[in-house]
Amino acid sequence: MKDTFLKVVNLLMNSKNIVFFTGAGISAESGVATFRGSDDSIWSKFKPEELANFNAFMRNPDLVWEWYQYRREIISNVKPNPAHITIAKFEQYFPNLAVITQNVDNLHKRAGSTNVFELHGNIERNYCIQCHTYYNTSDFDLKSKSVPKCKCGGLIRPDIVWFGEALPEYTFSKSKEIAETADIIFIIGTSGVVYPAAYIPVWGKQNGAKLIEINITYSELSNYCDFTLLGKAGEILPVIFELFTQNVDKV
Ligand code: BJW
Ligand code: ZN
């Protein structure tokens, strides 16, 4: 493991464009449940097809809204963890650094990362399904169990990409472009099963990026990776940062 850490640091020393491609696992140590792979995962308590798609919302908007209010409440009470914070600190050394995240929890921005691409939306934003007016979550009562309505009468939904929906066009195409010019892509805390997001690191690899995975277990993307560091992101990333800064400061 020590040897792999040193190889990763060596790669960092010779890189300019670095990307962090992140999933739910990076927020697990903050106390946000992942979607798959643990008894704690969101999907183990609710069936995704019941909640995370537009038809489900139209069938039972109050239930879906309540589920998101419950998750917003959790997110509003947690903090970025050492993994989010370390990524933000790397920006001092890599001004082109980009975070491409599948997460909707806003924790990268709260940690201080400035160049964040949210592939699946953001739980703090909402929009009217009829006139597309945007609303912040702070516009609504967090405890309210019924879906709010827009001034036009339309239902308001979370600005999150549900199954069967397209990813935000600019964010997705820019993320592809960034991955294709990356020297290193860190793949952190994602199972790599959800597409088209999971193509992002693969496109990077096809264009010469080294892929470094950090996960507590192997994922669907592990076979593409040059290195997989098994362990918690909040423990591994600070070690890499520390080793990197020690070496950079020597140069
Ligand atoms: C740790 C850790 C620690 C734990 N440290 N690690 C091609 C092939 C097959 C299927 C498809 C395909 N293309 C499209 C599809 C269909 C579908 C899809 O991918 N389905 C698969 C599940 C089979 N995709 C879609 O429907 C997408 N839309 C689409 O394709 O539209 C087409 C279209 C085009 C044009 C016009 C119209 C339509 C949309 C996908 C949207 C995904 N949305 C979700 C839910 C949002 C709702 C919500 O949040 O409430 O986004 S799904 C859910 O999964 C969420 C996540 O962002 C996403 C990815 O999950 P992630 O982040 O990887 O989390 P987990 O839980 O899976 O993994 C956590 C990992 O962390 C694990 O590996 C742990 O080991 C690890 N971990 N603790 C490090 N401390
Ligand atoms: Zn409206």
Side-chain angles (χ1 to χ4, degrees), residues 83-174:
H84 301 104
I85 291 164
T86 302
I87 292 174
K89 290 205 292 202
F90 264 117
E91 272 190 32
Q92 299 161 38
Y93 295 90
F94 297 95
N96 295 340
L97 185 153
V99 178
I100 300 175
T101 188
Q102 299 166 85
N103 299 345
V104 300
D105 59 25
N106 216 29
L107 289 175
H108 284 296
K109 287 184 189 158
R110 281 175 58 194
S113 285
T114 58
N115 197 22
V116 182
F117 295 85
E118 295 167 325
L119 295 173
H120 292 159
N122 188 310
I123 202 164
E124 290 183 10
R125 278 194 314 265
N126 307 273
Y127 65 91
C128 166
I129 63 168
Q130 223 159 260
C131 72
H132 233 85
T133 299
Y134 278 87
Y135 293 87
N136 287 324
T137 291
S138 53
D139 296 339
F140 312 115
D141 173 10
L142 207 56
K143 299 266 183 291
S144 167
K145 288 195 185 324
S146 51
V147 65
K149 292 218 174 75
C150 177
K151 45 191 178 303
C152 81
L155 297 176
I156 291 171
R157 61 165 281 179
D159 186 10
I160 284 183
V161 182
W162 284 329
F163 286 109
E165 294 183 330
L167 273 56
E169 209 175 308
Y170 171 79
T171 305
F172 187 54
S173 62
K174 194 73 193 158

Side-chain angles (χ1 to χ4, degrees), residues 21-30 32-38 41-43 48 51-53 67-68 71 81 83 101-104 119-120 123 158 160-167 187-199 213-220 229 231-236:
F21 176 72
T22 65
I26 197 168
S27 299
E29 290 158 76
S30 290
V32 183
T34 59
F35 292 91
R36 306 169 185 86
S38 88
S41 70
I42 291 172
W43 293 161
L51 300 170
N53 70 74
W67 186 53
Y68 282 98
R71 288 174 53 197
N81 66 54
T101 188
Q102 299 166 85
N103 299 345
V104 300
L119 295 173
H120 292 159
I123 202 164
I160 284 183
V161 182
W162 284 329
F163 286 109
E165 294 183 330
L167 273 56
I187 302 172
I188 304 182
T190 178
S191 57
V193 298
V194 173
Y195 283 87
Y199 287 130
E213 177 173 54
I214 303 176
N215 199 311
I216 51 170
T217 177
Y218 289 104
S219 76
E220 292 297 312
L229 294 161
K232 292 184 174 177
E235 293 172 5
I236 290 184

